[in-house]
Amino acid sequence: MTITTCVFDAYGTLFDVNAAAREAAEEPGRDAFASVWSKIAATWRERQLRYTWLRATYGTHTDFWSVTTHALDYALEAHGIADPDLRDRLLQLYWELAAYPEVPSMLAALKAAGLRTAILSNGSPEMLGGAVESAGIGDVLDAVLSVEQVGVFKPHRSVYDLVGQTFGAARGEVLFVSSNCWDACAATGYGFVTAWVNRRGEPVDRLPWRPVHEMSDLTGIPRLAGAA
């Protein structure tokens, strides 16, 4: 089937989830944080994802901003940092996460070829709106879809249903792109054509399905979608 629609996970795929901690570490007066920022960022992200899975399993959904703040509080405590000003600054920066360098030109190439583009994310609409605006990519996206529309986090199948409900596309017409292997695996099982953006060279997750494609960044997406 010809790809008509390209759908992207947001955090870690289009937007650099480490950017908030990295930027804070570069600010004057944060020498102590600068020495451990990468470890805190890793713990923050790990707990953020873990809490989405657990809440989906428990049936106790909350918005992604709450999950993000809870994960940060855990990460700071786990690394022995009690600094309310730093916490507030990290949360502020999370609303302004930088897009990866190849994102604007990649999305522009897809749109120039006539493909539909969208975000499908655990993020709340407000968080996603802030990130899209900060990255300046709103004009090359046809839709920004949030799990808040169904009230459960990925990889619940109802989240992937949002793509067909929005675009009317058959599953085989959708190229779904994620930096989370588990997300790409679930989307493969759902019936999407999938691409896992494996920026860190990690092993594939041992799950019932595998990503259809694997790449180190997003530059090859237009070629996969038939736009180059």
Side-chain angles (χ1 to χ4, degrees):
M1 234 178 238
T2 300
I3 298 297
T4 64
T5 308
C6 296
V7 179
F8 298 86
D9 172 60
Y11 297 105
T13 304
L14 298 179
F15 308 115
D16 183 358
V17 291
N18 292 323
R22 183 173 58 249
E23 289 182 32
E26 293 171 352
E27 295 176 346
R30 301 203 191 275
D31 294 345
F33 178 65
S35 66
V36 294
W37 78 264
S38 61
K39 294 179 181 179
I40 290 175
T43 303
W44 187 5
R45 179 60 171 167
E46 185 275 329
R47 287 289 156 168
Q48 185 188 50
L49 292 174
R50 181 184 296 198
Y51 292 163
T52 65
W53 301 329
L54 290 173
R55 282 190 171 273
T57 301
Y58 296 157
T60 56
H61 183 72
T62 189
D63 64 274
F64 195 60
W65 185 242
S66 295
V67 168
T68 299
T69 59
H70 295 160
L72 175 60
D73 289 339
Y74 176 94
L76 291 173
E77 183 176 348
H79 292 279
I81 292 182
D83 185 338
D85 290 337
L86 173 62
R87 176 187 184 272
D88 290 346
R89 180 60 175 151
L90 288 168
L91 291 174
Q92 176 189 2
L93 288 169
Y94 207 89
W95 283 83
E96 307 164 3
L97 291 179
Y100 288 103
E102 73 273 20
V103 168
S105 59
M106 179 273 300
L107 290 173
L110 295 175
K111 291 304 299 173
L115 280 82
R116 298 175 296 198
T117 59
I119 286 174
L120 177 65
S121 172
N122 279 338
S124 66
E126 296 80 10
M127 290 178 70
L128 292 170
V132 167
E133 181 179 359
S134 179
I137 58 173
D139 60 339
V140 285
L141 290 168
D142 294 302
V144 178
L145 307 175
S146 166
V147 300
E148 291 307 303
Q149 295 170 244
V150 292
V152 66
F153 291 115
K154 288 191 287 183
H156 197 278
R157 293 175 70 87
S158 64
V159 177
Y160 304 114
D161 285 340
L162 291 171
V163 176
Q165 293 167 7
T166 301
F167 294 108
R171 296 179 186 184
E173 297 176 7
V174 176
L175 175 62
F176 179 81
V177 185
S178 180
S179 64
N180 299 302
C181 189
W182 56 267
D183 190 14
C185 290
T188 297
Y190 182 79
F192 291 157
V193 180
T194 56
W196 174 32
V197 185
N198 185 8
R199 295 183 185 273
R200 295 182 294 181
E202 297 178 337
V204 68
D205 282 325
R206 271 50 175 183
L207 294 171
W209 313 280
R210 295 174 66 95
V212 178
H213 304 283
E214 180 179 343
M215 52 189 55
S216 60
D217 60 34
L218 294 164
T219 55
I221 292 299
R223 176 184 53 79
L224 283 185

